[in-house]
Amino acid sequence: EMEIEGIQEEQILRKKDHEKDMGAHHSSQDFKVNVQVSAVPQEDLAKILAGIREDYETIIEKNRQGLEVWYKEQTATVSPVANISPEEIQSNESEIKNLRRTFQALEIE
């Protein structure tokens, strides 16, 4: 208990000393702060973003055109194969049926 009382008294003394020191510093000196900032004016972010957006849009347009050309080339190579007339398809199907019948008949024999 005596140690605790001693520590508390020491704390009170230090607090008083601190208050005296702070009072002496504040009363003797008035702090004045003058801050000058020389900064370059900021660039307009909206203009920067608009420029970036335009760049991306041109890239997107080039890619779209490239894909369109590629698609047309791919469809051009597939088109002749796909342009078989319905009559041709029907005749080929009937020929397949006839060949199956013949095959079955030969298997039975």
Side-chain angles (χ1 to χ4, degrees):
E1 288 181 15
M2 291 183 71
E3 275 186 46
I4 293 174
E5 286 178 17
I7 292 173
Q8 287 176 345
E9 288 176 9
E10 188 178 333
Q11 181 183 8
I12 291 170
L13 289 174
R14 288 188 183 201
K15 190 173 183 180
K16 286 181 184 178
D17 287 342
H18 176 70
E19 288 174 358
K20 284 181 189 176
D21 288 342
M22 292 302 291
H25 284 293
H26 283 294
S27 64
S28 67
Q29 295 177 352
D30 288 336
F31 290 104
K32 292 184 181 179
V33 177
N34 186 8
V35 178
Q36 293 181 353
V37 178
S38 59
V40 178
Q42 291 183 347
E43 295 181 32
D44 188 14
L45 293 178
K47 289 180 183 178
I48 294 170
L49 288 175
I52 293 170
R53 187 176 295 121
E54 287 177 19
D55 292 343
Y56 276 111
E57 286 175 357
T58 55
I59 291 169
I60 290 169
E61 184 61 27
K62 286 179 184 177
N63 287 342
R64 188 191 63 76
Q65 290 174 355
L67 285 173
E68 190 173 325
V69 168
W70 176 82
Y71 176 76
K72 286 180 181 179
E73 288 174 358
Q74 295 298 316
T75 54
T77 58
V78 173
S79 294
V81 176
N83 287 337
I84 299 174
S85 67
E87 293 84 18
E88 252 183 275
I89 293 172
Q90 216 169 21
S91 68
N92 288 340
E93 286 176 352
S94 63
E95 187 177 346
I96 291 171
K97 286 180 186 177
N98 288 335
L99 289 172
R100 280 188 185 149
R101 285 187 200 130
T102 308
F103 178 72
Q104 286 176 351
L106 290 174
E107 276 186 332
I108 293 172
E109 286 180 20

